[in-house]
Amino acid sequence: MPLTMEVFGIEPRTVGGFPSSMRAALKVESVPLHWMGHVEVTSVDANGRLVRGVLDSSPPGGVNPYGDSHRELDRLVRGGTYSVLPRISGDGYCVFDGGDLAVMASEMFDLCARVSFPYSDRVELCARIIRRVENLPARVMFEGR
Amino acid sequence: MWRVEVVGGGEGASLLSISNLLVPWAGESAGADFAPSVRIWRGQEAPKTWVYPFKRGLYPDPGGGGRIALKSRVYLMWFPLDTDGRCAEFPLLSSISSVAVTTFSGDQLPGLVEEIDRILPHLTAGDAAPFACLAFIAEELVRDGHGAIEMIPL
């Protein structure tokens, strides 16, 4: 499954014994990160309509077996150009804050400008959100399945 | 506490939602949500101090016909309430009701962004990011040219 991205405010105090920053969050559903194996699929449904979707196909290790374009994207992301994007994991929770946020937004914008890939507009959406909160005490969490 | 949803927006905006948005002028914040008496009643740890300086008074919820939810909001120094529960400086934000769904759309959306940008410096660290995200959703709907924000009280 594609990831879910959530943005929290970071509050140093706690409320009722648990971190108050976890109470309110912007949630972005279905963020496909193709270098992790979220591959676009096209099929035909029972009514003969063309259905486009995103299939999580990443095997353990995160190597994407589908298509040269996705291999190229995977190599690009993990090839040393980017510092924060390769740290996003689809395995459980993955949290970023502080200076990582500005870098992550820049890297997402850069990736979308460099290469064309399906649903890149959703990655750009995430980048714009992060840019909106990067100067605030905020935490960005990706949740995989 | 509110849930924020997008209705009729573009593909990107329709992916967005905010869970458990705390509204300071309703006596909630990420630093110390609810009034101390409510926190004690709920068995939560009582706050040492109120996070936002406020004045007690009767400020009704505008969505409640004037008498319903009479104590649903508090007067904050930077969010001064009128006796009818509205705030002349922040007409859109103060119209958010705790007893009914509040909808923002069309020409209201740029105004909502502007009001949020003005309250951001007053918010606690934990409250600022969620409100910036609310402004982001409004900006996305302005870009789309259609769609509305629904604020659903929880």
Side-chain angles (χ1 to χ4, degrees), chain B residues 93-136:
Chain B
L93 287 175
S94 66
S95 71
I96 297 172
S97 172
S98 57
V99 292
V101 175
T102 309
T103 303
F104 297 112
S105 62
D107 294 341
Q108 293 176 314
L109 295 171
L112 184 65
V113 174
E114 186 269 333
E115 288 188 18
I116 291 171
D117 284 340
R118 278 195 287 134
I119 67 166
L120 278 181
H122 302 286
L123 299 178
T124 68
D127 290 334
F131 271 94
C133 290
L134 177 61
F136 178 85

Side-chain angles (χ1 to χ4, degrees), chain A:
Chain A
M1 289 287 290
L3 304 188
T4 297
M5 186 181 92
E6 289 184 279
V7 182
F8 302 94
I10 301 177
E11 186 68 45
R13 299 172 62 162
T14 61
V15 174
F18 56 92
S20 55
S21 63
M22 302 301 282
R23 308 207 70 175
L26 172 80
K27 183 180 286 188
V28 190
E29 303 281 2
S30 303
V31 180
L33 302 179
H34 296 270
W35 59 91
M36 290 168 47
H38 301 156
V39 180
E40 183 190 40
V41 294
T42 303
S43 60
V44 178
D45 68 9
N47 297 320
R49 291 176 304 196
L50 203 61
V51 178
R52 298 177 71 185
V54 175
L55 171 73
D56 176 19
S57 60
S58 58
V63 179
N64 187 340
Y66 290 87
D68 287 340
S69 62
H70 293 100
R71 287 201 193 96
E72 183 186 348
L73 198 61
D74 185 78
R75 278 197 296 270
L76 180 60
V77 170
R78 301 179 201 278
T81 305
Y82 302 115
S83 61
V84 175
L85 291 188
R87 288 160 48 199
I88 300 175
S89 166
D91 185 15
Y93 297 99
C94 185
V95 178
F96 299 88
D97 54 27
D100 281 347
L101 296 186
V103 176
M104 179 184 286
S106 296
E107 291 183 353
M108 284 178 165
F109 280 127
D110 184 78
L111 182 70
C112 294
R114 245 184 228 230
V115 291
S116 174
F117 57 95
Y119 298 103
S120 60
D121 54 332
R122 294 187 189 179
V123 178
E124 279 192 2
L125 179 75
C126 293
R128 291 205 307 277
I129 293 168
I130 295 168
R131 187 136 285 174
R132 191 70 159 87
V133 301
E134 67 186 15
N135 293 319
L136 298 170
R139 182 168 291 154
V140 172
M141 183 175 80
F142 291 90
E143 181 187 1
R145 294 286 184 271

